[in-house]
């Protein structure tokens, strides 16, 4: 079946992926392959704006790619690669920076938020981050970028930069990417409050063993008002129930919804049911992950091949870009 266009998405190398990554991005990456040519980039250069040390970057990139592949990203079809392996993106970033007003960058809410988070570490790279992100997207002539509603302004920014470039050099060489609004699930961590995140250690790793997963699920915070087994609970405020709605059968969800409210089921049993369903769901992922991991250079070969294919597109784009600018 002919594909509808090219999708681009990037993610920082965060190592082993967790349930939040899976539900919020990876599942969507896998599904998009049915309709689009997909370019999935591990954005290691972006990571340099915030990481304190680079010693884990390579292993994190490999672990992340391994999880993506185990989850169903097909490297024969989709291009999976590491951002810095295609250095053309740095050159395009520089040209795009020439048509991007500084005021627009410093006005972006994400920049202001970063300044608030790390006032001691505001470098040029942080300000120019959205320009590099734009270069990532347009270098591969991407038509579509899947984003959640809250990220839509970033895409609009990228579209403005593309328009500025094309107008400045009287060209149509860069494609204005279209937004594909995607429901990006925000998954709460085991604390039941904050978004699931490795840095908060409130996550459930996809590659954990079934036993480790059960232990993490046991640690999940439930309805905080339910103090005793005999107290009725409220599934509407319970993160375990939210997870049941994703991983359990309609019958189980209905049963919990009813029984929890009249203390007919205890939180321990409820969690064990979720853990069992989650482990069952992850069985094929874990088997595939183990299989890929047993082939020593498989993931590196995928990334090398991805970089080669990505670079072929990038070099063509850069030839056109340099011509459009009329560089000597
Ligand atoms: Fe949450 Fe289940 Fe406990 Fe109800 S029984 S509070 S849904 S863990």
């Amino acid at each position: 079946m002919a594909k509808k266009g090219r999708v681009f998405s990037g993610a920082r190398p965060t190592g082993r992926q967790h349930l939040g990554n899976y539900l919020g991005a990876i599942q969507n990456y896998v599904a998009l392959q049915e309709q689009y040519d997909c370019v999935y980039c591990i954005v290691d250069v972006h990571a340099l704006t915030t990481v304190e040390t680079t010693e884990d970057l390579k292993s994190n990139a490999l672990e992340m790619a391994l999880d993506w592949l185990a989850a169903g990203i097909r490297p024969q079809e989709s291009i999976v690669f590491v951002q810095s392996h295609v250095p053309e993106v740095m050159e395009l970033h520089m040209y795009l920076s020439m048509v991007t007003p500084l005021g627009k960058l410093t006005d972006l809410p994400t920049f202001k938020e970063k300044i608030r988070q790390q006032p001691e570490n505001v470098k040029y790279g942080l300000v120019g981050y959205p320009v590099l992100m734009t270069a990532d997207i347009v270098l591969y002539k991407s038509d579509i970028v899947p984003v959640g509603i809250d990220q839509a302004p970033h895409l609009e920014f990228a579209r403005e930069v593309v328009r500025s470039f094309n107008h400045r050099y009287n060209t149509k060489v860069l494609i204005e990417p279209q937004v594909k609004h995607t429901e990006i699930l925000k998954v709460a961590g085991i604390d039941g409050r904050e978004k699931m995140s490795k840095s908060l250690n409130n996550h459930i790793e996809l590659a954990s063993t079934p036993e480790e997963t059960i232990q993490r699920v046991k640690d999940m915070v439930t309805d905080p008002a339910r103090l005793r087994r005999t107290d009725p609970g409220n599934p509407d405020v319970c993160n375990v129930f939210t997870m049941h709605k994703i991983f359990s059968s309609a019958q189980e969800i209905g049963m919990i919804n009813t029984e929890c409210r009249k203390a007919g089921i205890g939180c321990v049993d409820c969690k064990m049911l979720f853990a069992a369903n989650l482990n069952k769901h992850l069985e094929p992922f874990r088997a595939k992950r183990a299989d890929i991991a047993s082939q020593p250079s498989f993931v590196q070969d995928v990334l090398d091949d991805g970089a080669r294919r990505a670079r072929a597109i990038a070099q063509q784009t850069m030839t056109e870009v340099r011509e459009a600018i009329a560089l000597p």
Side-chain angles (χ1 to χ4, degrees):
M1 191 183 74
K3 300 278 175 93
K4 289 184 184 169
R6 184 174 289 148
V7 157
F8 176 92
S9 189
R12 290 175 179 229
T14 50
R16 287 182 169 207
Q17 302 290 277
H18 56 63
L19 209 50
N21 304 130
Y22 179 68
L23 297 171
I26 302 172
Q27 270 194 333
N28 192 35
Y29 281 8
V30 174
L32 284 167
Q33 297 177 117
E34 303 307 323
Q35 294 186 20
Y36 299 95
D37 290 320
C38 298
V39 179
Y40 294 135
C41 181
I42 297 174
V43 291
D44 57 339
V45 182
H46 283 297
L48 297 181
T49 55
T50 50
V51 293
E52 283 168 13
T53 165
T54 53
E55 65 183 330
D56 295 331
L57 272 184
K58 189 175 168 70
S59 60
N60 280 349
L62 288 167
E63 288 281 352
M64 188 155 115
L66 172 55
D67 279 348
W68 284 4
L69 299 172
I73 290 179
R74 300 187 286 272
Q76 309 81 353
E77 285 172 48
S78 300
I79 297 177
V80 183
F81 73 108
V82 176
Q83 184 185 26
S84 65
H85 295 181
V86 183
E88 283 77 5
V89 76
M90 317 299 178
E91 184 186 353
L92 183 56
H93 165 235
M94 181 50 72
Y95 298 149
L96 295 181
S97 76
M98 303 298 175
V99 297
T100 306
L102 187 58
K104 281 214 178 251
L105 288 167
T106 52
D107 269 355
L108 284 172
T110 41
F111 178 65
K112 290 179 177 162
E113 174 65 13
K114 283 284 178 207
I115 294 183
R116 200 184 56 72
Q117 286 171 354
Q118 50 181 67
E120 308 302 320
N121 188 21
V122 181
K123 304 287 192 322
Y124 164 74
L126 193 63
V127 187
Y129 189 113
V131 186
L132 181 58
M133 188 194 78
T134 305
D136 283 324
I137 298 166
V138 298
L139 184 60
Y140 304 105
K141 295 194 181 285
S142 315
D143 306 291
I144 307 271
V145 179
V147 292
I149 297 286
D150 57 341
Q151 295 166 311
H154 293 183
L155 238 284
E156 194 43 52
F157 174 85
R159 289 160 54 84
E160 276 178 37
V161 173
V162 169
R163 285 198 291 272
S164 297
F165 180 93
N166 285 350
H167 178 72
R168 166 75 178 79
Y169 297 110
N170 193 24
T171 180
K172 291 183 176 158
V173 66
L174 298 184
I175 298 173
E176 253 185 71
Q178 303 300 313
V179 176
K180 182 172 174 57
H181 283 300
T182 311
E183 196 197 344
I184 309 264
L185 278 178
K186 290 220 170 47
V187 181
I190 62 173
D191 54 16
R193 287 189 319 273
E194 305 290 339
K195 193 175 160 192
M196 190 175 281
S197 131
K198 252 187 181 178
S199 54
L200 295 175
N201 191 23
N202 66 357
H203 61 301
I204 299 174
E205 267 182 13
L206 301 176
S208 294
T209 64
E211 296 71 30
E212 288 165 344
T213 303
I214 290 170
Q215 192 50 54
R216 289 301 263 180
V217 172
K218 275 186 185 166
D219 292 341
M220 284 179 78
V221 172
T222 63
D223 170 6
R226 191 177 189 194
L227 302 176
R228 290 172 294 267
R229 169 67 182 81
T230 48
D231 292 341
N234 179 3
D236 299 334
V237 298
C238 176
N239 191 30
V240 177
F241 187 61
T242 305
M243 290 295 179
H244 271 295
K245 286 195 270 186
I246 299 168
F247 292 100
S248 301
S249 69
Q251 195 187 6
E252 288 165 334
I253 296 165
M255 179 275 289
I256 295 163
N257 198 14
T258 306
E259 295 301 318
C260 171
R261 293 176 199 279
K262 53 184 184 186
I265 182 171
C267 291
V268 174
D269 289 341
C270 187
K271 286 178 177 181
M272 287 306 96
L273 180 59
F274 163 54
N277 290 343
L278 177 60
N279 276 331
K280 188 152 185 272
H281 182 90
L282 290 176
E283 246 171 47
F285 166 88
R286 288 172 178 152
K288 191 162 177 191
R289 194 181 199 280
D291 179 44
I292 295 172
S294 71
Q295 304 169 56
S297 66
F298 188 94
V299 179
Q300 189 61 58
D301 289 348
V302 165
L303 294 178
D304 291 346
D305 181 59
R308 188 185 52 73
R309 287 152 63 204
R311 202 156 186 209
I313 305 170
Q315 286 174 333
Q316 176 61 36
T317 304
M318 290 315 297
T319 299
E320 294 167 18
V321 163
R322 291 183 209 110
E323 278 174 14
I325 300 174
L327 289 167

